Amino acid sequence: MTPSETLKTAMDRSDLRIVDMARALGVSRAAAAQALGKAHPYADSLARYLEAAGYTLWAVPSSLHLDAITSDAMRIDAATAPAKD
């Protein structure tokens, strides 16, 4: 999943709309929509938006296989991140 897809999934699971997210973060609806439209938002922005949706952004060793522990975990694949020049 891309970071943007993860955020949208968290919002869907939490029954949040863009206007709800904007209100929770104290930003305009346009700012929230813009953040959701970014394929690769900054990690701090992604963490704030996920927190507003009731989720926490964690970095864990891949050896933990969180998907085997809980079905509520969402994975952001490194392969979806933009390449660094």
Side-chain angles (χ1 to χ4, degrees):
M1 243 187 245
T2 67
S4 161
E5 291 168 338
T6 301
L7 181 53
K8 289 173 185 170
T9 300
M11 288 177 62
D12 287 345
R13 290 181 181 180
S14 299
D15 292 325
L16 290 176
R17 299 169 299 157
I18 291 175
V19 67
D20 301 321
M21 183 67 72
R23 190 175 301 118
L25 293 167
V27 299
S28 69
R29 184 192 177 289
Q34 182 180 13
L36 287 172
K38 289 184 179 180
H40 302 287
Y42 289 111
D44 61 334
S45 297
L46 179 61
R48 285 186 314 124
Y49 278 71
L50 285 170
E51 185 175 314
Y55 286 80
T56 303
L57 180 63
W58 285 78
V60 297
S62 57
S63 61
L64 288 182
H65 301 290
L66 288 180
D67 51 337
I69 298 170
T70 177
S71 62
D72 289 333
M74 290 179 279
R75 179 182 178 151
I76 299 174
D77 295 315
T80 63
K84 294 194 177 202
D85 296 328

